[in-house]
Every structure is written in C-alpha cells, then in structure tokens.
C-alpha cells in the first residue's frame, strides 16, 4: 500500500520532519504557496504538517487533503472554515504547553512589576559598583488583585500559580467556568475595573480583536499592569502606548505583538514595559512535545481514522480507511 503523502510548507521543527519520514512520504516546499506544488503532486497530498499560515487558496490546491496538523495551540493561521467546509480535520497541540506558557506569564509579570531585567542590566554594566544599589521598584506584587482574560487550559495554569503568590483572582470569559473558586465578571471592562493586574490569554478570533482598548486600560487604572501572553491581535497597541506614556496604567509585559516580529517604536522607547519575542512555549522540551503531537495526530488519523486533538470546528473522523 502507498504511504500517505504529507506536505510540509515552510519551516517546522526538524523533529516533526524526522519522525514523519518513518511513516509517510514527505513533500517539502519553502512556503504555503500553491505555485510551489505542481497539480499532479498536489493531487497526491492527503495530509499537511504546518507551523504558521495555511490559507484557503493552499487548501483548495490540495483536492485529496484529509488532515491539517498545525503546530501550536493557537490555530489562527489556518483557514479553519475552508477546511471545515470540505470535511478536512484540523488539529492543534493543546495542553502539552500549558505549564511552560503559564511559567512564562509569571516570569513576565515579575519582570514587569519588579524590573528584574533592568536590575540585571544594571549589574552587568558595572553600575552596582559605580553607582550603588539599583533603584527600588515603584511597583510590587504585594496586595494586588489579578484578573485573567481567558480562563481556558493555560489561563487555569496561570491562575493556579497566582494562588501560590497569595493574590486574589478574578476572570472574564464568555461563559462562567463551573467549579472554579475565582470571581467571574461578565465583561472585560468590569474585570479590568475590579483588578490591578490583567493577564490576557485568549485566542485570536474576530471577537477578541483589539478588545484591550483605551476604555479597558482606563478601567485597569493608574496602578494597573497588563500582561499579554495570548495574541497581539487582542491589544490596541496605540492605545496601550498612550496609556503607558500618560500614566493611565503603570506598566505592561508583552510576549506577543500585533504585527510580529515588528514591535512598535512607541513600545520600545518606554521604560515601563517588559518585552519578550514570543517565547512563552519556547523550551526544547515543550517544543518537542508539541512536535510529537503534530506527528501523533497524523499517525492516529491514518492508522485509526481518528485524530488525537481535533479543533472544535472540525470534529471529523476519517471516511475511507
Ligand atoms: P483555550 O481554548 O483552552 O482557552 C481559551 C479561553 O479564552 C477560554 O476560557 C475561553 O472561554 C476564552 N475566550 C475565547 N474567546 C473569548 C472571548 N471572545 N471573550 C472572552 N473570553 C474568550 O485555549 P488555551 O488556553 O489552550 O490557549 C489560549 C491562547 O493562548 C491560544 O489560542 C493562543 O493564541 C495563545 N497562546 C500563546 C502562546 C505564546 O507563545 N505566547 C503559547 C500558547 C498559546 P469562553 O469560550 O467561555 O469564552
């Protein structure tokens, strides 16, 4: 029997490629561009392993496509509606990165509030010896209330960590989550009003676009700290720069940006921000676990007709065995 043919457009973790080679025929192209796969070759592709974008045109170019295995828990780069219309299953890599991303969120929060990266720079530049002690951080975690925008898999892992810090916790989601001890707010503004740390960990969807806007930042208040480890899409960056400049909020820590890898100068110029280059899940161990799930989804689909972690929009099983 012919081995299923898997297309890999663009860059993906090499572990994915190495493992896929054992079970499948692999076709690699530089990017997800239909012009890079001849029609005859495209007709034989039944699976895709992708990290990043896969648009409707590329999906349309693959007539025998059954499954798109996407690297990462956020799958906003894949045109899921185009896949769903054709009964193509899309899979992501949930859960295996929860703890890593939550750890990073806490690290970013501490960096932002206690200015630890600036303190290290002070030491490395010899200023401790030359100028004495690093200035006291104007902000502290003590006595704060934390609000989590998106209490899903990762939001819960962040909340559990914040409990250990002794902070009060509240959250906003569209539906209250059953069985959690945290205070629910039915709107983002009400959550921002009630807390002085706002941690965003929602997916990129039409509904979450620039929801952290001038009004929400005003509600967060002059002692407020914004942390975003979800998607840059969720924040109105111009409003954020203005709020940080004018003391509408106190500080922000960001792992994600609206137009990555471009970070606005307005943010880079500010002293009261801590910035990371989208590294929340970026350890070897966690990226390996994500790579394995990309591969295991494809194996499960072609061996048993059922993907391990299909996204909710494509709850399909395999039609032909
Ligand atoms: P989940 O699907 O488990 O959780 C998403 C949460 O967001 C749910 O609580 C959901 O609740 C809430 N939510 C969704 N839409 C809205 C909305 N319009 N308004 C309010 N709340 C909303 O996802 P994960 O926790 O696994 O991941 C979350 C996101 O984090 C990913 O989609 C990804 O974009 C991002 N991420 C970023 C990483 C990084 O490297 N910085 C790494 C990993 C993930 P409800 O449905 O009730 O509204």
């Amino acid at each position: 029997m012919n081995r299923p043919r898997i297309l890999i457009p663009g860059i993906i973790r090499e572990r994915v490629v190495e493992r896929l080679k054992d079970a499948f025929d692999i076709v690699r192209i530089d990017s997800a561009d239909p012009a890079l796969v001849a029609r005859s070759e495209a007709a034989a592709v039944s699976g895709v392993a992708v990290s990043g974008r896969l648009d409707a045109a590329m999906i349309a170019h693959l007539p025998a496509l059954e499954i798109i295995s996407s690297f990462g828990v956020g799958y906003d780069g894949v045109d899921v509606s185009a896949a769903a219309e054709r009964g193509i299953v899309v899979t992501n890599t949930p859960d295996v990165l929860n703890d890593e991303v939550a750890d990073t969120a806490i690290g970013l929060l501490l960096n932002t509030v206690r200015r630890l990266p600036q303190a290290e720079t002070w030491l490395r530049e010899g200023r401790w010896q030359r100028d004495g002690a690093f200035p006291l951080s104007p902000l502290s975690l003590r006595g704060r209330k934390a609000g989590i925008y998106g209490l899903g898999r990762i939001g819960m892992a962040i909340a559990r960590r914040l409990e250990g810090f002794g902070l009060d916790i509240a959250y906003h989601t569209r539906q209250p989550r059953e069985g959690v001890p945290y205070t629910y707010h039915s709107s983002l503004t009400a959550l921002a009003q009630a807390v002085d740390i706002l941690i965003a960990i929602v997916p990129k969807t039409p509904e979450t676009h620039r929801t952290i806007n001038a009004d929400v930042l005003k509600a967060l208040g002059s002692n407020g700290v914004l942390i975003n480890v979800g998607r840059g899409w969720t924040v109105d960056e111009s409003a954020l720069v203005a709020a940080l400049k004018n003391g509408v909020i106190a500080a922000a820590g960001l792992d994600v940006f609206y137009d990555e890898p471009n970070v606005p100068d307005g943010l880079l110029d500010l002293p009261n921000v801590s910035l990371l280059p989208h590294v929340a899940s970026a350890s070897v161990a966690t990226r390996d676990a994500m790579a394995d799930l990309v591969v295991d989804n494809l194996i499960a689909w072609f061996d048993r007709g059922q993907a391990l972690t299909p996204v909710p929009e494509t709850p399909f099983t395999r039609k032909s065995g």
Side-chain angles (χ1 to χ4, degrees):
M1 209 185 96
N2 282 344
R3 303 202 310 171
R5 183 162 298 192
I6 307 296
L7 177 72
I8 305 177
I11 296 168
I12 201 161
R13 195 158 171 70
E14 210 44 38
R15 183 182 179 98
V16 173
V17 183
E18 288 312 311
R19 280 201 55 207
L20 284 178
K21 277 182 187 163
D22 293 339
F24 302 103
D25 287 343
I26 304 297
V27 182
R28 294 195 80 171
I29 53 175
D30 284 345
S31 65
D33 176 355
L36 299 178
V37 198
R39 287 232 167 259
S40 54
E41 175 110 83
V45 168
S46 50
V48 166
V50 66
S51 177
R53 291 195 60 73
L54 196 79
D55 66 12
M58 190 72 222
I59 293 170
H61 190 62
L62 304 169
L65 188 59
E66 300 176 28
I67 176 168
I68 299 164
S69 186
S70 179
F71 189 104
V73 68
Y75 48 97
D76 43 85
V78 176
D79 193 324
V80 179
S81 324
E85 264 171 37
R86 280 194 28 218
I88 297 165
V89 68
V90 176
T91 65
N92 63 345
T93 62
D95 289 318
V96 294
L97 41 54
N98 293 352
D99 287 329
E100 201 76 72
V101 177
D103 290 350
T104 309
I106 298 298
L108 185 54
L109 173 62
L110 286 168
N111 283 353
T112 306
V113 171
R114 295 298 323 286
R115 306 185 69 230
L116 301 178
Q118 294 92 325
E120 181 163 355
T121 302
W122 182 273
L123 177 154
R124 287 181 184 278
E125 289 178 348
R127 296 192 64 187
W128 192 10
Q129 288 157 321
R130 214 166 51 241
D131 302 329
F134 180 69
L136 305 184
S137 66
L139 305 178
S140 167
L141 268 194
R142 298 302 98 218
R144 283 184 179 270
K145 292 187 172 134
I148 304 181
Y149 174 29
L151 195 69
R153 291 170 291 239
I154 300 170
M156 279 298 293
I158 294 172
R160 280 193 292 270
R161 282 159 176 73
L162 291 174
E163 280 190 43
F165 283 76
L167 305 188
D168 279 354
I169 300 167
Y171 71 102
H172 166 63
T173 49
R174 288 166 300 180
Q175 299 299 324
R177 207 179 151 136
E178 269 175 41
V180 299
Y182 317 125
T183 309
Y184 177 70
H185 292 273
S186 59
S187 83
L188 178 55
T189 311
L191 176 68
Q193 193 83 56
V195 300
D196 49 20
I197 295 170
L198 181 63
I199 302 180
I201 181 70
V202 280
K204 176 177 176 177
T205 67
E207 297 81 44
T208 60
H209 188 221
R210 289 191 173 135
T211 41
I212 299 175
N213 55 23
D215 289 342
V216 168
L217 295 168
K218 194 166 165 230
L220 189 57
S222 58
N223 191 38
V225 175
L226 171 70
I227 302 296
N228 189 10
V229 283
R231 285 286 182 267
W233 166 265
T234 305
V235 174
D236 180 338
E237 282 180 348
S238 311
L240 176 61
V241 170
L244 287 162
K245 246 188 200 156
N246 303 329
V248 172
I249 68 167
L254 308 171
D255 181 50
V256 286
F257 301 89
Y258 199 89
D259 179 30
E260 295 175 5
N262 304 306
V263 179
D265 286 342
L267 281 173
L268 292 169
D269 292 343
L270 287 168
N272 50 345
V273 292
S274 187
L275 306 171
L276 295 176
H278 201 147
V279 294
S281 70
S283 71
V284 169
T286 293
R287 289 287 170 87
D288 280 351
M290 293 161 68
D292 284 342
L293 192 46
V294 167
V295 175
D296 292 341
N297 264 302
L298 289 164
I299 291 173
W301 180 260
F302 289 105
D303 277 3
R304 303 193 294 278
Q306 177 89 55
L308 300 176
T309 52
V311 304
E313 297 91 326
T314 63
F316 311 133
T317 49
R318 194 167 185 228
K319 290 183 188 72
S320 53

